[in-house]
Amino acid sequence: MEQHFRSYVGGQWVDGSGSHADENPADLASPVGRYGVLDAAATAQAVDAAAAALPAWSLSNPQQRADILGFVGSEILARKEELGRLLAREEGKTLAESIGEATRAGQIFRFFAGEALRIPGEKLASTRPGVEIEITREPVGTVGIIAPWNFPLAIPAWKIAPALAYGNTVVFKPAEIVPGCAWALAEILSRAGLPDGVFNMVLGSGRTVGQALVSHPKLDALTFTGSVPTGRALLKQAAERALKVQMEMGGKNPLVVLADADLDTAVECAVNGAFFSTGQRCTASSRLIVESAVHDAFVERMQARLAQLKVGDPLDPSVHIGPVASGAQLETDLSYIRAGHEDGGELLAGGARVDCATEGHFLAPTLFAAQPSHRIAREEIFGPVAAVLRADDYEHALALANDTPFGLCAGICTTSLRHASHFRRHAQAGMVMVNLPTAGVDPHVPFGGRKASSYGPREQGRYAVEFYTTVKTAYIAP
């Protein structure tokens, strides 16, 4: 029987309008399920429900919040294979990657279960005799969450868990192409002991549901992960209402390979960062900047390594790369491959769709030799397409690495402590990797970037408190 995914508003499951297929990008003939979408009025009801639940929840016992988040984390971990399989069918990343993402989501909820009991505060002496000062953190209020499709369990987890831990109420809007993962997460939360209205999940388009969410007068804060154009449009709208905003809007991340690097390590870092998860990561290594002395050897090894990768059904354990997540994203990837040819890039590997046993959005991992001015070397593609750029020396490589409007993550492969230390300090990015793929971060430390990549406080770890709380200073005289 085909599964139907519904929204969750005010403690009730809501069907929404229409019946839309939830596509399986690896097998278009076998959809994951069906879902209904909400209109603006139903979205407004979700925000109203969250706002009504806020006064009691914001003053709730922190142990209650910790127990609820611990329940959610434990159930996700207990069901990680089942949830991973759903994720693999709906988003397309391999089963191993999908189970890993489910595991990470569970760990995030467990981490913030602990943070609910560690909300920081201060008590300071006043400059005035007999006066005490107490600095406390309080919930920011009703939080709107707009999440992307590429990590449909982990990214919602790292937004929802801290919001609830610090006493906020939530209206969560997932991406349209991953309603199944959103429903699965909401279903667990619906049984965790949350009062009605504290958590709400609304399915629908960004044009309808997203706009109704951001424009609602009772919304206090917005956290968004997605594209730069959408993020900038939301930021302008939020500024008119003085909403507290946190945004992560992608990257064009460099991986620098110096002449002294271990080339086997460098190739594995590049392949993992650029092509695993089908390259659909904001931290993907889409610009491989290689020092001239080892450029040709690096390219040869990359070509050999890419030839070993198998593209296909993400549920097949022998497959390394699953399908592109949607037909629209596949067309975007192919348009950039055409742009790579038109700009004069040299195709080194891939560059075409892959025929598999089922009809799906399969694309070969694609590598170009490019110039810094080429579109494929400057614009975020969000697919299994990477560009190799030649650098004269370390200084040139660093300049190329920083020559981008983005600043999320930057990596370097080198055996030189001097160059590694210099790069860590001078890379214009929020995160730096040394002899590691640019994609792959821990959940207990801050995540975020600089320049056009991010706006507002960092996500994840203890730094999440900066966005999800507001500071109050109290002066007390006897």
Side-chain angles (χ1 to χ4, degrees):
M1 185 171 133
E2 194 171 58
Q3 195 162 9
H4 184 72
F5 306 121
R6 298 181 291 172
S7 296
Y8 188 68
V9 176
Q12 302 295 321
W13 293 104
V14 180
D15 282 324
S17 62
S19 180
H20 305 265
D22 180 13
E23 185 180 86
N24 177 347
D27 185 357
L28 302 182
S30 178
V32 177
R34 303 195 73 82
Y35 66 101
V37 299
L38 297 190
D39 57 17
T43 304
Q45 291 175 2
V47 182
D48 287 338
L54 179 63
W57 180 249
S58 66
L59 297 173
S60 59
N61 188 299
Q63 186 63 59
Q64 177 191 10
R65 302 198 295 270
D67 291 345
I68 288 170
L69 295 177
F71 170 89
V72 174
S74 294
E75 178 158 336
I76 291 173
L77 291 172
R79 296 171 56 193
K80 61 185 180 182
E81 285 84 6
E82 171 199 346
L83 294 171
R85 187 176 182 86
L86 170 63
L87 199 165
R89 291 186 65 221
E90 186 173 60
E91 194 272 346
K93 66 182 61 172
T94 65
L95 184 58
E97 291 173 323
S98 297
I99 293 173
E101 180 177 338
T103 301
R104 180 178 175 185
Q107 292 170 341
I108 289 169
F109 272 97
R110 281 189 168 182
F111 174 85
F112 282 106
E115 289 302 283
L117 300 172
R118 291 190 289 265
I119 299 175
E122 294 180 84
K123 191 163 188 176
L124 300 176
S126 172
T127 57
R128 293 171 286 175
V131 176
E132 295 182 353
I133 300 175
E134 187 176 73
I135 303 168
T136 55
R137 287 188 175 272
E138 298 182 356
V140 71
T142 297
V143 178
I145 294 174
I146 300 179
W149 49 259
N150 61 323
F151 284 88
L153 290 177
I155 291 180
W158 84 48
K159 294 176 184 292
I160 294 167
L164 297 177
Y166 297 124
N168 303 281
T169 56
V170 166
V171 181
F172 163 46
K173 184 218 168 299
E176 291 175 77
I177 68 172
V178 286
C181 286
W183 174 87
L185 187 55
E187 196 277 330
I188 295 171
L189 281 156
S190 75
R191 294 184 285 101
L194 289 167
D196 291 351
V198 170
F199 170 80
N200 305 270
M201 188 270 290
V202 291
L203 298 175
S205 70
R207 183 175 292 105
T208 300
V209 172
Q211 286 299 313
L213 176 62
V214 177
S215 62
H216 198 291
K218 294 180 183 177
L219 194 73
D220 298 302
L222 174 70
T223 175
F224 165 84
T225 299
S227 69
V228 172
T230 302
R232 287 177 175 170
L234 289 173
L235 186 58
K236 290 179 181 178
Q237 189 173 352
E240 294 177 356
R241 297 190 42 236
L243 278 182
K244 190 174 186 180
V245 175
Q246 175 190 70
M247 293 194 169
E248 198 286 297
M249 297 174 286
K252 192 66 178 173
N253 310 290
L255 177 69
V256 170
V257 179
L258 296 186
D260 61 16
D262 180 310
L263 283 189
D264 289 335
T265 297
V267 166
E268 289 308 309
C269 287
V271 169
N272 182 307
F275 302 111
F276 285 7
S277 294
T278 322
Q280 296 170 153
R281 299 184 282 195
C282 56
T283 52
S285 310
S286 53
R287 293 186 299 141
L288 309 175
I289 301 169
V290 185
E291 197 168 357
S292 184
V294 293
H295 177 277
D296 293 349
F298 174 83
V299 166
E300 289 178 6
R301 294 194 190 200
M302 283 290 292
Q303 290 172 314
R305 185 70 179 91
L306 291 178
Q308 297 172 349
L309 299 182
K310 182 179 179 180
V311 177
D313 180 358
L315 299 179
D316 180 345
S318 69
V319 163
H320 303 98
I321 298 175
V324 174
S326 69
Q329 185 59 48
L330 176 61
E331 182 49 45
T332 296
D333 297 345
L334 292 172
S335 72
Y336 275 105
I337 291 171
R338 291 192 293 270
H341 289 294
E342 291 164 1
D343 288 344
E346 178 188 356
L347 182 65
L348 301 172
R353 299 186 65 167
V354 176
D355 292 327
C356 294
T358 56
E359 182 185 359
H361 306 308
F362 300 104
L363 180 64
T366 299
L367 187 66
F368 274 93
Q371 297 298 318
S373 60
H374 291 176
R375 285 181 60 198
I376 56 172
R378 299 208 63 80
E379 300 176 15
E380 185 177 36
I381 301 172
F382 221 68
V385 182
V388 179
L389 308 178
R390 187 187 294 266
D392 298 334
D393 51 27
Y394 168 72
E395 288 73 19
H396 186 208
L398 176 62
L400 289 174
N402 289 334
D403 181 24
T404 171
F406 295 101
L408 182 57
C409 193
I412 187 169
C413 291
T414 180
T415 55
S416 166
L417 178 61
R418 178 173 67 89
H419 284 141
S421 298
H422 188 273
F423 187 83
R424 285 166 52 199
R425 176 64 184 85
H426 292 87
Q428 296 170 2
M431 299 177 289
V432 176
M433 309 293 189
V434 178
N435 295 320
L436 289 166
T438 58
V441 297
D442 288 356
H444 65 297
V445 293
F447 176 96
R450 296 162 58 173
K451 300 193 278 189
S453 287
S454 301
Y455 181 89
R458 291 289 193 262
E459 300 195 78
Q460 296 204 78
R462 301 191 71 181
Y463 279 72
V465 75
E466 299 296 334
F467 176 71
Y468 292 101
T469 65
T470 184
V471 173
K472 178 180 283 183
T473 305
Y475 297 87
I476 307 104

